[in-house]
């Protein structure tokens, strides 16, 4: 099979030979000249004929020239027990069969780490938006895939990343295994933490060590599924997972405009499609519609199951269109962006869901997560210490913190350990009149987050009532320090948060009055009955406040109407006519009775 024909030749030949049409061998050779030399094209036609994919047939009419056509009997087409194409480079050759499934791979193409691809993602320089950096960007090209980078399709922008474009080398996070998802507190002694190695055996490390041995006998698909449960976030059910995957899929699926299923349905009939499936594919052909239906039906239990489906989609597209095609290049972008989202979901599912539901609440970043984040002040050049959440901490020296800032666009940045300060319980010392509007809004959002952290995170989870969460946010916000809008404003053109390029953006927060009759959230509320009573009191107090405001407004309108009227100078009833500008009367009788008293001051001569 080392000198076999490329799999993409089947697609090209089918356009010439569809519906059982025969063509001379020279025509089939010329159709492959865009992919290979004339000698290689001739050898490909010869190999396909020897394998029984192409069968000779006498030409019709006066010309008795020998023609080639596809074998029309599916049962006579050659088939193998395993996939004849490498799952990594998607080319034929001397492949090694997986011991767990029908997939195959070249020994030189096998990934050492199943999470890291052995190809480089095309550069996005010149694009209007810089995508998150993946570890594959810095890895050299594999020897088996020394190919030119095809044209990059138009990307679908991910606006939830909020990554600085100005200083990517210092700020942008390279997602590697050197990042620790278990965030430790800043007040801990780092030296002792590094000197004392954990005595408990690391399950993830032991599983990675096993990859060096028996797991290398299996394909990437099976190796990933073996670690699916270990890499999945705890307490993430299928319903919430389906919601998170839909957010990611809706952002990135437009990278691929054409898949195998859609292409065959557009160009070929059912018989031709059956011939191509028999020759090229050993596993089920997945399309974009199949993956979308799986997400909507909540068929995925683990994140890895969604990832391996995308790898199957990539393999099918590469085999069908070729490893140098634009369609295959688009799958690299799709895998890169979806892999980034999967890492974010593994790190904190709540943060990922809140960021995608930012339009539903202005204070989405203040909601507490099930996995509590350490709160710090992070210092960047040109900015004061800014409140932020710690997302992860690097393991290698120098230690850097991946933080996400409060306020503004909630941007992300990498901050050195020396520029990180733990947040104390009392932050009133940081609330100063000279603070900028952006910093004041960030501190207010931090106060709201610390107050909401006294509640259980399940009140803000995926299955929680959103109206209850919004009520708790309003209550907490009413007890936070008011933003010093009249204080010193920031410099012109300064971003609203660190690590955010562009002009500052004003973020309007809820302006709830401070006299709302509701208690401050306290840590002791854990009983559901007590919580229901507190919620009922809050709702009732809010309704009473609205009723009082309506009555006050009605009274004010009546008072304004009374002030516009004139009143009788004698009996104090509503006046009908004026005697002069100092007196008015309701009738002539009142004017006659009051004549003796008013005559001394009347300005009108009678």
């Amino acid at each position: 099979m080392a000198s076999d024909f490329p799999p993409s030749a089947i697609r090209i030949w089918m356009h010439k030979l569809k519906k059982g049409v025969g063509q001379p061998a020279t025509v089939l050779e010329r159709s492959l000249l865009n992919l290979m030399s004339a000698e290689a094209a001739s050898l490909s036609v010869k190999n396909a004929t020897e394998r029984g994919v192409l069968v000779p047939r006498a030409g019709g009419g006066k010309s008795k020239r020998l023609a080639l056509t596809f074998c029309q009997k599916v049962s006579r087409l050659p088939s193998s027990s395993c996939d004849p194409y490498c799952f990594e480079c998607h080319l034929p050759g001397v492949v090694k069969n997986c011991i767990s499934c029908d997939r195959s791979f070249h020994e030189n193409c096998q990934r050492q780490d199943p999470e890291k691809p052995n190809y480089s993602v095309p550069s996005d320089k010149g694009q209007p938006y810089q995508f998150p950096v993946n570890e594959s960007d810095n890895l050299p090209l594999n020897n088996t895939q020394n190919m030119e980078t095809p044209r990059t399709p138009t990307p679908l922008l991910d606006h939830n990343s909020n990554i600085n474009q100005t200083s990517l080398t210092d700020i942008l996070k390279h997602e590697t295994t050197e990042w620790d998802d278990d965030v430790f507190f800043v007040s801990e002694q780092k030296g002792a933490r590094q000197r004392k190695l954990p005595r408990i055996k690391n399950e993830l490390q032991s599983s990675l060590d096993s990859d060096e041995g028996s797991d290398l006998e299996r394909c990437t698909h099976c190796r990933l599924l073996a670690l699916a449960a270990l890499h999945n976030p705890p307490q993430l059910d299928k319903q919430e997972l389906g919601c998170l995957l839909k957010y990611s899929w809706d952002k990135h699926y437009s990278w691929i405009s054409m898949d195998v299923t859609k292409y065959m349905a557009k160009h070929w009939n059912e018989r031709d499609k059956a011939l191509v499936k028999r020759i090229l594919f050993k596993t089920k052909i997945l399309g974009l519609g199949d993956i979308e239906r799986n997400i909507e039906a909540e068929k995925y239990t683990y994140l890895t199951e969604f990832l391996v489906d995308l790898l199957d989609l990539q393999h099918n597209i590469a085999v069908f269109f070729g490893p140098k095609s634009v369609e295959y290049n688009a799958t690299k972008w799709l895998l890169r962006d979806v892999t980034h989202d999967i890492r974010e979901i593994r790190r904190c599912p709540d943060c990922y869901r809140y960021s995608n539901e930012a339009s539903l609440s202005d204070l989405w970043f203040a909601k507490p997560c099930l996995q509590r984040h350490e709160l710090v002040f992070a210092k960047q050049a040109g900015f004061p210490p800014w409140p932020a959440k710690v997302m992860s901490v690097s393991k290698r020296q120098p230690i850097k913190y991946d933080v996400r800032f409060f306020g503004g666009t909630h941007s992300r940045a990498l901050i050195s350990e020396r520029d990180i300060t733990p947040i104390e319980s009392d932050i009133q010392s940081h609330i100063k009149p000279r603070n900028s509007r952006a910093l004041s809004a960030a501190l207010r959002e931090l106060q709201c987050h610390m107050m909401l952290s006294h509640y259980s995170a399940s009140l803000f989870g995926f299955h929680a009532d959103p109206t209850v969460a919004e009520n708790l946010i309003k209550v907490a916000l009413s007890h936070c320090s008011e933003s010093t809008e009249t204080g010193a404003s920031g410099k012109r053109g300064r971003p609203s948060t660190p690590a955010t390029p562009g002009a500052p953006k004003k973020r309007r927060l809820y302006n709830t009055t401070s006299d709302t009759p509701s208690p401050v959230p306290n840590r002791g509320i854990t009983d559901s009955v007590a919580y229901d009573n507190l919620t009922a009191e809050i709702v009732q107090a809010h309704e009473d406040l609205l009723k009082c405001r309506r009555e006050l407004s009605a009274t004010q309108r009546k008072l304004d109407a009374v002030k516009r009227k004139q009143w009788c100078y004698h009996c104090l009833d509503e006046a009908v006519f004026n005697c002069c500008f100092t007196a008015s009367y309701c009738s002539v009788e009142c004017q006659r009775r009051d004549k003796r008293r008013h005559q001394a001051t009347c300005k009108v001569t009678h």
Side-chain angles (χ1 to χ4, degrees):
M1 301 268 304
S3 60
D4 211 341
F5 56 89
S8 57
I10 299 296
R11 176 180 59 88
I12 300 174
W13 289 339
M14 181 56 75
H15 284 288
K16 303 288 184 180
L17 307 176
K18 59 183 177 180
K19 297 182 180 180
V21 176
Q23 293 289 350
T26 54
V27 175
L28 302 182
E29 293 173 4
R30 285 197 299 266
S31 63
L32 300 180
L33 294 181
N34 292 331
L35 301 178
M36 60 190 72
S37 62
E39 183 180 356
S42 178
L43 183 60
S44 297
V45 174
K46 179 181 177 182
N47 290 332
T49 305
E50 292 176 353
R51 289 187 55 194
V53 176
L54 298 177
V55 295
R57 190 183 67 180
K62 297 181 180 180
S63 176
K64 300 300 181 181
R65 187 175 50 177
L66 191 66
L68 296 177
T69 184
F70 276 112
C71 179
Q72 296 302 306
K73 293 186 177 180
V74 178
S75 59
R76 293 185 180 180
L77 287 172
S79 63
S80 59
S81 58
C82 295
D83 190 353
Y85 306 108
C86 175
F87 193 71
E88 302 298 335
C89 69
H90 320 291
L91 293 174
V94 182
V95 294
K96 185 176 181 179
N97 299 333
C98 176
I99 61 176
S100 302
C101 66
D102 295 334
R103 296 171 181 84
S104 305
F105 53 89
H106 298 129
E107 291 189 5
N108 294 333
C109 297
Q110 179 69 308
R111 302 183 185 183
Q112 295 299 319
D113 185 354
E115 296 280 348
K116 296 181 180 180
N118 55 7
Y119 56 79
S120 63
V121 180
S123 174
D124 57 351
K125 293 180 180 179
Q127 297 291 343
Y129 180 81
Q130 188 80 12
F131 278 85
V133 174
N134 195 12
E135 67 272 8
S136 61
D137 293 347
N138 296 327
L139 294 178
L141 283 173
N142 191 287
N143 294 332
T144 62
Q145 287 186 310
N146 189 9
M147 62 183 69
E148 298 179 358
T149 301
R151 178 172 56 88
T152 303
T154 305
L156 177 67
L157 302 187
D158 178 8
H159 297 283
N160 287 325
S161 248
N162 293 327
I163 296 185
N164 188 11
Q165 305 175 31
T166 56
S167 56
L168 293 174
T169 56
D170 297 330
I171 299 174
L172 200 59
K173 184 172 81 68
H174 293 261
E175 300 182 51
T176 65
T177 56
E178 298 299 328
W179 286 87
D180 188 2
D181 290 338
D182 298 329
V183 179
F184 59 86
F185 289 87
V186 183
S187 57
E188 293 181 359
Q189 296 292 333
K190 312 300 185 305
R193 178 178 181 270
Q194 294 167 2
R195 286 193 299 268
K196 296 180 180 180
L197 297 178
R199 297 181 179 179
I200 302 176
K201 186 177 181 180
N202 190 343
E203 296 181 3
L204 179 59
Q205 185 62 35
S206 61
S207 63
L208 293 179
D209 293 340
S210 64
D211 283 347
E212 300 296 333
S214 60
D215 277 1
L216 291 179
E217 301 294 326
R218 297 187 294 174
C219 64
T220 302
H221 182 281
C222 298
R223 293 167 64 192
L224 288 173
L225 288 181
L227 302 175
L230 185 62
H231 287 168
N232 210 59
Q235 301 182 2
L236 184 63
D237 57 12
K238 297 177 67 174
Q239 186 177 359
E240 184 176 1
L241 176 60
C243 176
L244 300 182
L245 293 181
K246 182 172 177 57
Y247 288 144
S248 177
W249 183 252
D250 290 343
K251 287 188 297 183
H252 304 311
Y253 80 94
S254 61
W255 276 116
I256 301 178
S257 58
M258 182 65 67
D259 58 13
V260 179
T261 305
K262 189 185 301 184
Y263 187 92
M264 292 196 300
K266 180 179 179 181
H267 294 92
W268 303 329
N269 57 26
E270 293 298 327
R271 186 173 187 81
D272 292 340
K273 289 191 290 184
L275 293 175
V276 174
K277 290 180 182 178
R278 173 77 173 187
I279 298 172
L280 292 182
F281 303 110
K282 192 65 181 176
T283 58
K284 180 183 177 182
I285 302 177
L286 281 177
L288 298 177
D290 297 325
I291 296 178
E292 185 173 0
R293 284 189 291 270
N294 290 341
I295 295 176
E296 293 177 354
E298 300 174 0
K299 292 186 177 181
Y300 294 114
T301 305
Y302 303 113
L303 285 166
T304 308
E305 294 177 348
F306 174 63
L307 178 60
V308 296
D309 273 0
L310 294 182
L311 291 177
D312 284 338
L313 174 68
Q314 183 185 48
H315 178 61
N316 293 336
I317 289 178
V319 169
F320 189 75
F321 292 100
K324 294 185 179 180
S325 62
V326 176
E327 291 81 5
Y328 173 64
N329 188 48
T331 62
K332 294 182 179 181
W333 279 103
L334 175 66
L335 262 297
R336 173 178 173 175
D337 296 339
V338 170
T339 303
H340 172 78
D341 286 352
I342 289 177
R343 289 194 186 96
E344 292 299 315
I345 295 174
R346 287 174 176 170
R347 184 170 291 117
C348 182
D350 292 329
C351 283
Y352 185 81
R353 179 169 55 84
Y354 294 156
S355 63
N356 283 276
E357 297 174 354
S359 60
L360 303 180
S361 175
D362 289 341
L363 287 177
W364 62 270
F365 196 68
K367 297 179 181 179
C369 303
L370 185 63
Q371 172 189 340
R372 297 303 172 95
H373 301 279
E374 174 72 354
L375 302 179
V376 297
F377 280 107
K379 179 71 173 68
Q380 271 199 316
F383 289 90
W386 208 278
K389 293 180 183 179
V390 177
M391 308 305 295
S392 59
V393 184
S394 64
K395 294 180 180 178
R396 64 172 59 178
Q397 296 290 342
I399 294 178
K400 289 191 176 183
Y401 286 72
D402 176 18
V403 300
R404 191 164 193 175
F405 295 101
F406 283 89
T409 57
H410 305 97
S411 54
R412 298 266 295 266
L414 292 182
I415 307 297
S416 300
E417 183 183 12
R418 64 176 182 273
D419 296 325
I420 296 292
T421 305
I423 288 184
E424 301 174 355
S425 59
D426 184 15
I427 63 170
Q428 296 297 328
S429 59
H430 296 274
I431 303 176
K432 303 175 182 178
R434 60 184 178 86
N435 288 342
S436 64
R437 295 175 182 174
L439 181 57
S440 299
L443 291 172
R444 192 183 188 196
E445 191 174 35
L446 170 64
Q447 281 185 305
C448 184
H449 172 75
M450 297 176 67
M451 197 169 295
L452 293 176
S453 297
H454 294 139
Y455 291 110
S456 172
S458 60
L459 299 177
F460 306 89
F462 176 75
H463 300 285
D465 187 0
T467 57
V468 174
E470 286 300 318
N471 289 334
L472 293 177
I473 291 176
K474 292 179 181 179
V475 171
L477 190 61
S478 65
H479 294 278
C480 296
S481 302
E482 291 293 332
S483 177
T484 55
E485 295 288 338
T486 57
S489 59
K491 297 181 180 180
R492 180 178 299 178
R494 169 167 290 193
S496 56
T497 53
T500 304
K505 299 179 181 179
K506 296 182 180 179
R507 189 175 186 86
R508 185 180 298 275
L509 303 178
Y510 286 108
N511 291 326
T512 311
T513 54
S514 58
D515 57 348
T516 304
S518 56
V520 181
N522 57 76
R523 189 179 298 272
I525 301 177
T526 56
D527 187 34
S528 59
V529 177
Y531 168 73
D532 293 339
N533 295 337
L534 177 60
T535 305
E537 292 177 4
I538 294 174
V539 174
Q540 183 62 36
H542 186 64
E543 293 178 355
D544 295 342
L545 177 61
L546 294 179
K547 181 179 179 181
C548 293
R549 287 180 176 176
R550 288 194 297 267
E551 294 177 354
L552 178 62
S553 178
T555 305
Q556 186 67 35
R557 287 195 298 269
K558 292 181 180 179
L559 180 61
D560 293 340
V562 169
K563 288 182 178 179
R564 297 191 190 98
K565 295 181 179 180
Q566 293 181 337
W567 306 95
C568 180
Y569 197 66
H570 178 69
C571 67
L572 299 182
D573 290 337
E574 186 175 356
V576 177
F577 62 92
N578 298 327
C579 175
C580 61
F581 69 90
T582 60
S584 301
Y585 297 98
C586 63
S587 63
V588 178
E589 182 66 22
C590 287
Q591 185 182 18
R592 185 184 63 79
R593 292 179 180 181
D594 194 56
K595 182 177 180 180
R596 181 175 297 180
R597 185 185 64 169
H598 176 62
Q599 192 172 11
T601 59
C602 185
K603 303 300 181 180
V604 179
T605 57
H606 295 281

